[in-house]
């Protein structure tokens, strides 16, 4: 059997992973200068966390999450499913079948109890007790009168079904599709609002969405994100977050990046705009595709996200939210633009930038980069002032942040010619068993000085050894044979141009160290 990575996920191998490390280090360095500290978050969370924050009607929650029940009680679950889905009919056969499933369901529960696997919560204990009583009654009637009184038997089954449905085998959990919800959960859980000033956190790691894989879109993908939580919603904070993002973009030499901004209002002005939009969309319903038609009811804003070519002329004529912002939101947006100008940050306004997650309000922004085809958004972010309160935290806390799609950033950098630097500094080509102790000591010494060193475990012919050094992309070969050993020196060859010299150990170290800064 040949194993392969699952569809939509992939391995990141050296030397490419070297480039990933450099980019991640650049994020750490830049974010540090803005006062951000790293938060390491769990990979899975209760499903409810994402359902609440990202929103039930978003693509992410409605169809892309990897969700599962966190328990090992498959047998109980299977019989529970059979009981709960089966319509109760008063046919004798159906009653007998239900009786059998109930018995098996309870038998599996008893078995799991013996193994201490069953969650003995008060609710579960009560439900199992009631189920057992009802089943006992059911069987007593059947034993005494057979299936004559089907109404009574059916109503007993009804009772058993609802008790069975109430049994909770474990938590329903989800592999995180994004991390803002987790950051906010952690902020609340650890009472971080009591910390002085703004809480500034960054994270990096894998996210999971069951999307259709294509270039720049994976089922396990990586994000580098930052979130700022605190009592103020001043637009200067939005501008500084964007400034930090662009400082990172510049640090990694991403060229051709474009910043788009928008304001999507708040709970005071957005509902009226959404109604207006709904009204306009209803007038052109017939000309829209199925997704957009559905969204007229569920979430008209998301229609603005549509990429269908035939919908574009229609969308172009829809009302713009900028014309419907309340005074506070309009002023917030105007000040954001002043703050960006003050920082000499170039941007384009995009009134259709509504973002695919429900928690946003006011500022939204995105960065696109060349070389990515249709999946050209390398970063998305925005303000989410109500989210902390929605998840049970203090209403006064506001938030803003972004997440960079690391995979897409890498693609764009690689298209532009970025390559991982050669990782191997020194290859030691040695001959003669007497040389081995000396080269082991040399390799250790060089590694202590942070050089990456390849030391072949067995003697090789010089020609073969040097050719391997070349193919490995080493910068230097250090040659140790009988002559070198006798002279207590090393021959060092710069592989790029063949420059060769003989040096004592101390001089060799100095020579290699100088070459590193050259
Ligand atoms: P998002 O727009 O869903 O926002 O994702 C941010 C970025 O992650 C996207 O711009 C894209 O580069 C990358 N991305 C998303 N899905 C995939 C995928 N399937 N494959 C590859 N890359 C992908 C968020 O996740 C928000 N939490 C951002 C945020 C933080 N807003 C405020 N704070």
């Amino acid at each position: 059997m040949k194993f392969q990575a699952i569809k939509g996920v992939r391995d990141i191998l050296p030397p490419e992973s070297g480039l990933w490390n450099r980019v991640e280090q650049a994020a750490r360095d830049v974010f540090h200068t803005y006062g951000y500290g790293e938060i390491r978050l769990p990979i899975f969370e209760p499903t409810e966390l994402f359902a609440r924050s990202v929103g039930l009607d978003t693509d992410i929650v409605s169809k892309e999450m990897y969700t599962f029940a966190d328990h090992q009680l498959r047998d109980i679950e299977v019989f529970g499913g059979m009981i709960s889905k089966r319509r109760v009919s008063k046919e004798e056969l159906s009653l007998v079948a239900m009786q059998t499933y109930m018995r098996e369901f309870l038998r599996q529960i008893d078995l799991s109890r013996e193994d201490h696997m069953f969650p003995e919560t008060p609710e579960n204990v009560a439900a199992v007790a009631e189920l057992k009583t009802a089943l006992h009654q059911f069987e007593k009637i059947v034993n005494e009168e057979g299936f004559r009184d089907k109404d009574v038997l059916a109503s007993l089954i009804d009772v058993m079904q609802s008790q069975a449905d109430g049994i909770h085998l474990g938590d329903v959990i989800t592999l995180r599709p994004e991390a803002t919800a987790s950051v906010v959960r952690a902020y609340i859980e650890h009472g971080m609002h009591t910390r002085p000033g703004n809480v500034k956190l960054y994270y990096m790691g894998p996210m999971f969405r069951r999307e259709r894989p294509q270039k720049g879109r994976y089922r396990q993908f990586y994000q580098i994100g930052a979130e700022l939580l605190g009592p103020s919603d001043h637009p200067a904070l939005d501008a500084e977050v964007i400034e930090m993002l662009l400082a990172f973009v510049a640090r990694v030499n991403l060229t051709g990046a474009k910043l788009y901004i928008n304001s999507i209002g708040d709970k005071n002005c957005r509902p009226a705009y959404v109604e207006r939009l709904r009204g306009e969309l209803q007038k052109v319903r017939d000309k829209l595709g199925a997704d957009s038609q559905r969204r007229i009811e569920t979430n008209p804003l998301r229609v603005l996200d549509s990429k269908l070519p035939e919908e574009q002329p229609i969308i172009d004529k829809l009302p713009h939210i900028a014309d419907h912002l309340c005074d506070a939101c309009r002023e917030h947006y105007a000040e954001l633009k002043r703050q960006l100008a003050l920082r000499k940050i170039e941007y384009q306004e995009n009134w259709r930038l509504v973002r695919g997650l429900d928690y946003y309000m006011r500022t939204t922004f995105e960065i696109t980069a060349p070389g990515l085809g249709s999946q050209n958004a390398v970063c998305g972010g925005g303000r989410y002032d109500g989210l902390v309160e929605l998840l049970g935290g203090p209403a006064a806390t506001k938030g803003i942040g972004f997440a960079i799609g690391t995979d897409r950033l890498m693609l764009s950098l690689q298209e532009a010619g970025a390559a991982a630097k050669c990782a191997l500094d020194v290859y030691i080509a040695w001959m003669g068993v007497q040389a081995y102790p000396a080269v082991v000591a040399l390799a250790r010494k060089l590694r202590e000085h942070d050089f990456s060193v390849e030391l072949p475990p067995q003697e090789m012919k010089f020609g073969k050894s040097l050719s391997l050094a070349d193919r490995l992309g080493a910068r230097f070969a250090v040659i140790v044979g009988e002559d070198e050993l006798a002279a207590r020196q090393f021959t060092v060859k710069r592989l790029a141009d063949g420059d060769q010299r003989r040096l004592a150990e101390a001089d060799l170290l100095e020579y290699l160290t100088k070459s590193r800064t050259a």
Side-chain angles (χ1 to χ4, degrees), residues 20-31:
W20 280 68
N21 288 340
R22 251 171 49 206
V23 162
E24 288 175 351
Q25 191 53 44
R28 292 179 194 284
D29 293 346
V30 171
F31 296 172

Side-chain angles (χ1 to χ4, degrees), residues 8 211-219 221 375 408 411:
E211 294 195 81
R212 195 169 51 76
Q214 63 183 90
K215 182 181 176 189
R217 197 205 262 161
Y218 311 100
R219 293 183 166 182
F221 62 98
Q375 306 301 315
R408 292 186 192 175
L411 278 174

Side-chain angles (χ1 to χ4, degrees), residues 427 429 461-470 477 479 493 495:
Y427 181 96
K461 293 226 163 64
F462 272 133
K464 255 187 145 179
S465 220
L466 288 177
S467 132
L468 180 57
D470 219 26
I479 299 163
K493 181 173 177 182
L495 293 173

